[in-house]
């Protein structure tokens, strides 16, 4: 990845009018390609940072209270109510909503990624529309606070998925899309052009930031006839800025359809990930079953659906939002905390077994007195208190260094065992096979697994395994030939990771 990236980066566009955006974001640590690979390709155990930048009145209640008589919903309504005080009041919110201690706590429990929802308007002048146009100065300091979040996260080896949660005109009918009323993004060419311009700017700002997990170009869009074409346009724009930055897109509440669409897009645009959201509290009243039945449905309906979508996408699927919250009637006759805790643990098992990552909605509420707050849910036992891969913890023995040394001592043994299994598997077919490709893939895969496990402050587990294996395989075939055996390289790479994972699970 490092060599290819350095070559491709020579051709990345650097628009002169973006210089002021970079200055406002601030100075971040120099790009480290080897560490960035871990942040981007590892299994994500995450949480959303809701209402840090894209405000919602039920989360960030205090800043809305003063204007309750006007009933502002979208952030644009709120800053309009604030008038000339908007910059001062919004900056006070950004300065206080999250602190360094939040990231320290996340890291202590194994949360390795955060999803950061932002409105397109935080880019300020030149990137705003509608109500945000007249209040563009409100956001002069917003990127500084984005940079602060990224830096705090980096300090604790936490990755950041920047989610453009709201686009011009709104991509859905909810106020968190930045607009009040019907979605108008796809009804206006101007809105779509502005959206692409903002996506381009975010890609420019984030592509060379080590702990950026990726860029999500849209959140919970309506399943509009123009959405697929919009994705293609957005991906072309991001790839013009960066050939390697992971790009996340929403499934428009239609997982099967967009799994197929993203499968096609991945062939042209590389590292593209589909984001699906899972909320059980919003089910129709006739489907608000008791917890035991919901768990059964989770296992027998949702899990096969996720497995199918993940297979279509070769693992490039995440749960960008989920929660422990269930309808009141589902917990009737039980202790709600216990019932939601039981359901949450089953959710995590299913989601972690079928996808490359999960992000709880959300890290905090204004007063952290409800299950929508992950901190509250953890404190009362409705969510687990640790999320480290392999069942690892800071007190576990043996140490990471010892585990890596033990694995290296077994490299030859594992390689021979897995190669023999591979040879037995392909013996059923006639033809030539590239066992050398398999061995090369196995050795590289094990090296990568050990690096993921030991390079950062706490272990990482490969999440987007097929994506990374395929990229290594392409590079190997480019240098050594044997394109027809590329699949064997991929198999060897992935089986090395499986071997190491089984080993770690066994000894911890």
């Amino acid at each position: 990845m490092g060599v290819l990236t350095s070559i491709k980066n020579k051709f990345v566009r650097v628009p002169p009018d973006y210089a002021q955006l970079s200055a406002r974001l601030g100075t971040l640590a120099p790009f480290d390609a080897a560490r960035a690979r871990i942040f981007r390709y590892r299994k994500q155990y995450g949480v959303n940072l809701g209402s840090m930048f894209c405000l919602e009145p039920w989360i960030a209640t205090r800043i809305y209270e003063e204007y309750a008589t006007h009933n502002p919903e979208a952030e644009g309504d709120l800053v309009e109510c604030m008038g000339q005080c908007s910059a001062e009041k919004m900056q006070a919110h950004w300065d206080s909503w999250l602190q360094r201690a939040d990231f320290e706590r996340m890291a202590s429990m194994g949360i390795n990624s955060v999803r950061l929802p932002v409105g397109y308007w935080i880019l300020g002048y030149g990137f705003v529309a509608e109500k945000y146009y007249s209040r563009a100065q409100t956001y002069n300091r917003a990127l500084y606070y984005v940079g602060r979040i990224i830096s705090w996260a980096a300090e604790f080896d936490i990755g950041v998925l920047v989610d453009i949660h709201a686009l011009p005109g709104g991509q859905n009918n909810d106020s968190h899309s930045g607009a009040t009323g019907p979605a108008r993004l796809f009804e206006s060419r101007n809105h779509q052009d502005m959206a692409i311009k903002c996506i381009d700017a975010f890609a420019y700002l984030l592509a060379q930031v080590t702990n950026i997990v990726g860029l999500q170009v849209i959140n919970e869009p309506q399943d509009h006839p123009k959405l697929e074409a919009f994705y293609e346009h957005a991906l072309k724009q991001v790839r013009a800025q960066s050939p390697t930055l992971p790009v996340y897109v929403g499934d428009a509440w239609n997982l099967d359809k967009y799994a197929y669409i993203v499968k096609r897009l991945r062939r042209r645009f590389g590292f593209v990930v589909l984001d699906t959201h899972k909320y059980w509290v919003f089910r129709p009243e006739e489907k608000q079953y008791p917890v035991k039945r919901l768990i059964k449905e989770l296992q027998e309906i949702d899990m096969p659906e996720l497995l199918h979508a993940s297979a279509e996408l070769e693992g490039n699927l995440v749960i960008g939002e989920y929660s422990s919250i269930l309808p009141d009637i589902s917990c009737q006759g039980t202790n709600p905390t216990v019932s939601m805790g039981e359901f949450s643990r089953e959710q995590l098992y299913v989601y972690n077994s079928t996808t490359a990552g999960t992000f709880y909605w959300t890290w905090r509420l204004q007063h952290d007195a409800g299950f929508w707050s992950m901190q509250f849910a953890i404190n009362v036992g409705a969510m687990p208190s640790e999320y480290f891969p392999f069942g690892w913890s800071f007190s576990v023995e043996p140490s990471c260094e010892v585990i890596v040394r033990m694995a290296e001592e077994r490299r030859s043994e594992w390689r021979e065992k897995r190669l023999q299994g591979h040879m037995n598997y392909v013996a059923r077919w006639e033809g030539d096979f590239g066992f050398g490709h398999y061995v090369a893939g196995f050795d590289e895969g094990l090296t990568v697994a050990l690096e993921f496990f030991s390079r950062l402050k706490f272990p990482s587990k490969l999440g987007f395994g097929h994506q990374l294996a395929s990229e290594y395989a392409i590079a190997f075939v480019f240098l050594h030939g044997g394109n027809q055996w590329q699949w064997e390289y991929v198999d060897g790479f992935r089986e090395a990771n499986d071997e190491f994972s089984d080993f770690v699970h066994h000894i911890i």
Side-chain angles (χ1 to χ4, degrees):
M1 174 178 164
V3 175
L4 293 175
T5 301
S6 63
I7 294 172
K8 290 173 181 175
N9 283 341
K10 293 179 182 179
F11 302 100
V12 169
R13 296 181 295 108
V14 183
D17 58 328
Y18 286 3
Q20 61 175 318
L21 295 180
S22 294
R24 283 157 48 200
L25 184 66
T27 303
L28 302 174
F31 185 68
D32 183 328
R35 286 169 60 85
R37 178 177 57 198
I38 300 175
F39 284 112
R40 293 176 178 185
Y41 292 84
R42 70 182 173 182
K43 189 90 166 182
Q44 297 164 352
Y45 303 92
V47 65
N48 283 273
L49 306 182
S51 279
M52 173 68 195
F53 294 108
C54 193
L55 273 59
E56 298 184 58
W58 66 277
I59 299 176
T61 55
R62 184 174 300 153
I63 196 169
Y64 278 87
E65 286 172 352
E66 184 178 346
Y67 308 99
T69 56
H70 300 282
N71 195 31
E73 295 183 30
E75 187 172 318
D77 303 328
L78 179 65
V79 295
E80 189 175 55
C81 291
M82 289 175 174
Q84 297 303 316
C85 301
S86 60
E88 176 186 352
K89 292 190 175 183
M90 291 301 294
Q91 186 168 325
H93 169 78
W94 300 327
D95 199 49
S96 61
W97 187 251
L98 293 170
Q99 301 299 320
R100 178 182 177 277
D102 289 290
F103 296 90
E104 185 174 24
R105 186 183 184 197
M106 292 176 203
S108 73
M109 61 180 66
I111 292 174
N112 66 12
S113 304
V114 294
R115 182 171 177 260
L116 180 63
V118 299
Y120 73 94
W121 53 80
I122 68 168
L123 294 169
Y125 283 111
F127 300 89
V128 285
E130 299 187 310
K131 292 184 178 181
Y132 302 96
Y133 183 82
S134 62
R135 295 295 172 195
Q137 83 286 349
T138 300
Y139 298 97
N140 287 346
R141 291 277 287 166
L143 284 177
Y144 163 79
Y145 289 100
V146 172
R148 189 170 78 166
I149 292 293
I150 293 171
S151 294
W152 279 339
E155 184 179 348
F156 295 100
D157 283 345
I158 293 173
V160 180
L161 170 59
V162 174
D163 155 42
I164 308 179
H165 211 69
L167 288 173
Q171 71 277 9
N172 58 48
N173 295 331
D174 296 312
S175 60
H176 59 66
S177 70
T180 302
R184 299 186 304 280
L185 171 64
F186 294 115
E187 309 310 317
S188 163
R189 170 52 59 187
N190 288 339
H191 285 334
Q192 292 167 57
D193 289 345
M194 178 63 77
I196 295 298
K197 180 181 179 182
C198 292
I199 289 168
D200 184 70
F202 278 114
Y204 167 76
L205 289 171
L206 303 172
Q208 295 295 300
V209 180
T210 299
N211 67 316
I212 287 295
V213 167
L215 174 64
Q216 182 158 352
V217 298
I218 197 168
N219 172 71
E220 295 183 354
Q222 289 183 339
D223 188 4
H224 195 280
K226 295 181 180 178
L227 182 58
E228 184 177 354
F230 178 81
Y231 281 166
E232 184 169 339
H233 194 177
L235 285 162
K236 285 180 181 177
Q237 205 71 26
V238 175
R239 287 291 167 257
Q241 289 290 354
S242 168
T244 57
L245 179 68
V247 182
Y248 290 61
V249 300
D251 71 349
W253 306 104
N254 194 335
L255 179 58
D256 285 345
K257 175 181 177 180
Y258 282 88
Y260 180 71
I261 288 172
V262 173
K263 178 182 180 179
R264 294 202 311 268
L265 292 172
R266 288 182 62 236
R267 296 187 189 121
R268 297 176 56 198
F269 299 106
F271 199 166
V272 184
V273 182
L274 184 61
D275 167 35
T276 189
H277 296 173
K278 293 292 183 179
Y279 287 121
W280 294 72
V281 68
F282 300 128
R283 292 164 66 86
E285 187 173 347
E286 66 273 14
K287 292 188 176 182
Q288 294 180 4
Y289 307 129
V291 171
K292 296 296 183 185
R293 183 170 174 183
L294 292 180
I295 290 175
K296 183 177 176 66
E297 185 173 319
L298 178 66
Q299 296 167 337
E300 296 181 358
I301 298 178
D302 269 49
M303 191 169 189
E305 288 179 350
L306 289 168
L307 283 169
H308 175 74
S310 187
E312 283 286 296
L313 296 161
E314 296 179 316
N316 284 19
L317 176 68
V318 298
I319 309 292
E321 295 181 19
Y322 77 100
S323 173
S324 63
I325 297 279
L326 293 175
D328 291 342
I329 196 170
S330 296
C331 302
Q332 200 169 49
T334 72
N335 180 321
T337 300
V338 173
S339 293
M340 283 190 275
E342 181 183 7
F343 186 78
S344 294
R345 284 162 176 81
E346 192 61 36
Q347 272 193 112
L348 283 170
Y349 170 76
V350 168
Y351 299 161
N352 286 328
S353 299
T354 56
T355 75
T358 58
F359 295 84
Y360 192 93
W361 186 275
T362 181
W363 176 243
R364 66 161 297 191
L365 303 176
Q366 187 75 65
H367 303 292
D368 282 325
F371 291 96
W372 286 106
S373 162
M374 188 180 198
Q375 296 183 86
F376 176 87
I378 290 171
N379 291 342
V380 300
M383 285 292 291
S385 58
E386 289 196 342
Y387 297 84
F388 298 104
F390 308 107
W392 185 89
S393 70
F394 285 106
S395 60
V396 76
E397 293 291 342
S399 67
C400 290
E401 292 76 12
V402 170
I403 291 173
V404 168
R405 186 170 67 248
M406 293 168 67
E408 282 289 7
E409 291 169 353
R410 290 162 173 78
R411 180 187 286 265
S412 295
E413 172 193 338
W414 290 347
R415 183 198 304 122
E416 291 306 312
K417 180 184 73 173
R418 290 284 183 161
L419 175 59
Q420 188 60 56
H422 176 72
M423 294 171 69
N424 292 340
Y425 172 71
V426 301
R428 70 188 75 179
W429 301 303
E430 294 183 0
D432 295 328
F433 296 97
F435 298 136
H437 284 58
Y438 179 90
V439 169
F442 184 93
D443 279 332
E444 192 63 61
L446 183 56
T447 298
V448 167
L450 300 183
E451 182 185 21
F452 273 50
F453 187 76
S454 61
R455 180 75 180 260
L456 303 183
K457 289 184 172 66
F458 47 88
S460 297
K461 181 177 185 178
L462 190 58
F464 296 95
H466 196 282
Q467 178 74 42
L468 187 57
S470 297
E471 292 175 13
Y472 270 99
I474 291 168
F476 182 84
V477 167
F478 178 79
L479 294 174
H480 302 285
N483 183 64
Q484 70 272 32
W485 300 317
Q486 182 174 314
W487 69 272
E488 292 188 80
Y489 185 102
V490 171
D491 277 7
F493 189 105
R494 298 184 69 187
E495 288 191 13
N497 183 71
D498 292 343
E499 187 71 40
F500 177 69
S501 294
D502 292 344
F503 173 68
V504 176
H505 281 297
H506 178 70
I507 66 173
I508 288 183

